[in-house]
Every structure is written in C-alpha cells, then in structure tokens.
Amino acid sequence: MSPLPADRVQQHRPFKNCGVDYCGPFWTHYKIRGKRPHKVYLKVFCCFSTKAVHLEVVSDLTTQAFLAALKRFCGRRGLPAKIYSDNATNFVGAYNELSEVKEAIFAEEAQALIHKTCANLSIEFKFIPPRAPHFGGLWEASVKSAKHLLKRTLYTATLTHEELETIVIDIEAILNSRPLTSVSSSPRDLTALTPGHFLIGEPLTASPDIHQSRRRTGLLTRWKRIEQLRKEFWTRWSHEYLHELQNRSKWTRSCKTVKIGDLVIIKEDNIAPLNWPLGRIVAVHPGKDGEIRVAEIRTTSGNITRAIHRLAVLPINEKKEKTDL
C-alpha cells in the first residue's frame, strides 16, 4: 500500500483538491397531470483534506451540464487546484446505469472541452487509470453514503425538482456533520471535529449563539478571529485525525512486480468464455515511492493502460530462463 498522496495530508482550504463522481439516475416529477417524470443525476464532489462533501443535481449527462455544475461548485466553494475523476471504463464496469457517461463526458471532444474550460480557470483535471476504481476510493465512499441516504429517502416518494434539491442539500449537511475525530481527550467533552468546522467554523447542527457580544468589531478583526479558529481546527486535524489515516491495514509487504516485456493476461469485464485477452507490457509508471502500480500494455487492438492488479503475469519467461541454465 502506497503512502497517502500529498493532496490528502496538506493543510489546504476545503475543496482545493477534490474528487468528482456521478450517481443515479433519480426521477423528478412535474405538477402537471400526464407529464412524464424526468431523469436526473447527482454529481458528488469530495474534499481530499477534510472529506467534506458537495452535492449537485444535474439534469442530464451532457458536457454542458457537467461544466454548469462545475461552475456552480466553484461559485460556492472556490476554485479548486486539482480535480480527480474516474475513467470511462470504470463507469461502464461498475455502473451500468451510467453507461451514457462514456459518450457524454469521456468522449474525445468532451474531454477536450472540459480540459480547456478547466485550464481557463487554472484547474488541473486528472483521470485515474482505467479499470481501477480503488484509486478513487475516497470519493467512491462519499457516493456510497449519498446513495444510501437517497435511496432510503426516495424509496416510495415522488418528488419535484425543488423537493429533490432540498433533500440533496439535507443529505449534504448530514455527511458534512459526521464526526472525524475527538476535539479533546476530556471525558466531559462530547464534541467532535467535523467537516462542517472547516466550512463554517462550527458544526452544521450547532444552535446559534444568542449571547453574542453587542460590541462593534471591524471586518478585519473578525476575519483575523476566523483565521485563528481555522488554524486551531487544522492543528487538531493534523495532530489527531491525520495520524489515523496513516495506518496500513493491508499490502504491507512488497511482492514481485511486473516489468517491461512481460506477457500478461488482462482481466476485463464481460469477456466471453474461452477468450483470454493477452498483452505485452511496453511501459511502466512507478509512483513517487518507486513502486509500480500502473502499466501500459500492447494488445492486438492497440495500447491500453491498466492497474497491475488487473494483470496476471504468465511465467513463460521464468521457465525459459531455467531451461537455458
């Protein structure tokens, strides 16, 4: 297991580095008799540092709707520096209901438009390797939580677009109020650090203080006070919560890895019986720690990129070497 990426452990403002994913579809109804319901989707943004969640209702899976939701997100959360997204093959393999995303967002023309728009906003847009959804496990967990809450809410409900928007924002508040770590070790302290602390400076469920001082304070003084509180939250985050993320529960030992020239079997989804996709590794992409986790394979239909857990190395070369000896 590799160390956490630098974007996960640095003290950035919320949503400076984030991941994005889709879930759905969901149905919205009109208050007009005989009018058919409309299919909508949910776009999920997850902050890398604080695990805060931002949810956007998207009317369709066109590139224009994707960019419109991105602009709404930037207008409320600020411009991110990096946005990570799944690859098209992850949607087709894991989300059958989102197969339309392949044509709407991951087509060459759509990707060019997305990259151009993000470049104009100084945003770096990155795609994780194909067939490797575990590379985006952080935002996949947020999608799972949002879908779980939505399905429980919408099980028998017929909602309008406005009602769905209200429920989605309520679910966003629920996810941003989940506890991350304890604020102090005192047995009498029942408060916990939440993503809401980094968004508004206190839990989203906190009651407004009616005993605030009536003394006038300038905007600059108030801004300095908010910055002081924010630094305290980041100090607690780095001293308590960050250490919990460093635990490695599996893949603690190195094993034999792939190398250029290896003949491999490629694990693909929905392959017909008696069909064994083969390829030859032509390039490897080591991580910052030197470990190889992604490789480029030459196949009969062209070069593809896959994570190494989708590859099975054939021991033909080893047998040949032993024979030569």
Side-chain angles (χ1 to χ4, degrees):
M1 182 178 292
S2 64
L4 289 174
D7 297 334
R8 291 282 309 277
V9 297
Q10 294 177 349
Q11 296 185 7
H12 296 306
R13 63 169 175 79
F15 295 105
K16 184 174 182 179
N17 299 298
C18 58
V20 62
D21 203 352
Y22 273 90
C23 67
F26 304 99
W27 296 93
T28 58
H29 296 74
Y30 298 92
K31 295 182 178 180
I32 303 175
R33 180 175 297 179
K35 193 170 182 65
R36 299 181 61 184
H38 181 66
K39 186 191 297 184
V40 297
Y41 299 86
L42 193 63
K43 190 174 181 182
V44 181
F45 294 89
C46 181
C47 173
F48 274 18
S49 299
T50 65
K51 289 189 177 180
V53 176
H54 179 91
L55 304 179
E56 286 284 348
V57 178
V58 183
S59 58
D60 53 45
L61 290 177
T62 61
T63 310
Q64 289 72 22
F66 178 90
L67 295 175
L70 179 61
K71 290 181 180 179
R72 294 195 299 270
F73 165 76
C74 295
R76 286 190 284 175
R77 302 298 186 186
L79 287 175
K82 297 178 184 178
I83 297 179
Y84 292 81
S85 174
D86 280 348
N87 198 283
T89 49
N90 293 339
F91 285 106
V92 176
Y95 301 102
N96 294 327
E97 66 269 21
L98 291 180
S99 58
E100 308 160 37
V101 177
K102 186 174 181 180
E103 292 78 18
I105 296 175
F106 296 102
E108 293 184 3
E109 297 82 3
Q111 287 194 15
L113 180 58
I114 291 172
H115 281 291
K116 181 180 179 181
T117 304
C118 291
N120 293 337
L121 297 174
S122 300
I123 300 173
E124 186 178 356
F125 204 92
K126 294 186 175 183
F127 291 98
I128 64 175
R131 305 287 183 184
H134 66 283
F135 275 62
L138 182 66
W139 59 83
E140 295 286 357
S142 300
V143 169
K144 180 181 178 181
S145 300
K147 287 180 67 176
H148 176 71
L149 293 172
L150 267 173
K151 287 184 177 181
R152 293 184 61 183
T153 305
L154 307 180
Y155 183 68
T156 57
T158 56
L159 304 177
T160 63
H161 188 87
E162 183 179 14
E163 292 169 341
L164 180 62
E165 282 267 15
T166 304
I167 290 178
V168 166
I169 293 177
D170 285 340
I171 291 174
E172 178 184 304
I174 292 172
L175 296 178
N176 289 332
S177 63
R178 66 192 189 279
L180 299 177
T181 183
S182 59
V183 174
S184 68
S185 57
S186 173
R188 296 184 178 180
D189 190 0
L190 301 179
T191 59
L193 193 64
T194 68
H197 283 85
F198 301 96
L199 298 177
I200 65 171
E202 60 182 359
L204 296 176
T205 56
S207 301
D209 187 3
I210 60 176
H211 300 290
Q212 292 180 350
S213 173
R214 295 183 179 179
R215 184 181 60 184
R216 291 185 177 181
T217 56
L219 292 177
L220 181 60
T221 304
R222 179 171 177 79
W223 177 79
K224 289 181 178 179
R225 173 58 179 162
I226 293 174
E227 285 298 309
Q228 181 182 359
L229 289 174
R230 188 170 298 171
K231 289 180 180 178
E232 292 180 4
F233 295 146
W234 282 115
T235 301
R236 294 169 181 170
W237 174 85
S238 59
H239 288 174
E240 300 175 15
Y241 176 64
L242 189 58
H243 293 293
E244 298 177 1
L245 298 179
Q246 298 289 354
N247 296 329
R248 302 186 184 185
S249 57
K250 56 183 178 180
W251 305 329
T252 56
R253 292 181 298 176
S254 298
C255 59
K256 185 179 179 181
T257 186
V258 299
K259 60 182 183 296
I260 295 177
D262 283 345
L263 184 66
V264 296
I265 302 175
I266 306 170
K267 182 182 178 182
E268 298 284 11
D269 298 327
N270 303 322
I271 294 296
L274 305 179
N275 188 5
W276 302 92
L278 298 176
R280 185 78 66 173
I281 295 179
V282 295
V284 294
H285 304 286
K288 293 183 178 180
D289 57 352
E291 296 289 341
I292 298 172
R293 297 181 180 86
V294 180
E296 184 177 348
I297 306 102
R298 185 179 69 247
T299 66
T300 55
S301 58
N303 290 6
I304 60 175
T305 303
R306 292 291 183 269
I308 62 171
H309 81 284
R310 308 280 301 190
L311 308 176
V313 180
L314 294 177
I316 297 177
N317 296 334
E318 295 181 2
K319 289 183 178 180
K320 185 177 179 181
E321 292 175 0
K322 292 180 180 179
T323 306
D324 294 340
L325 292 176

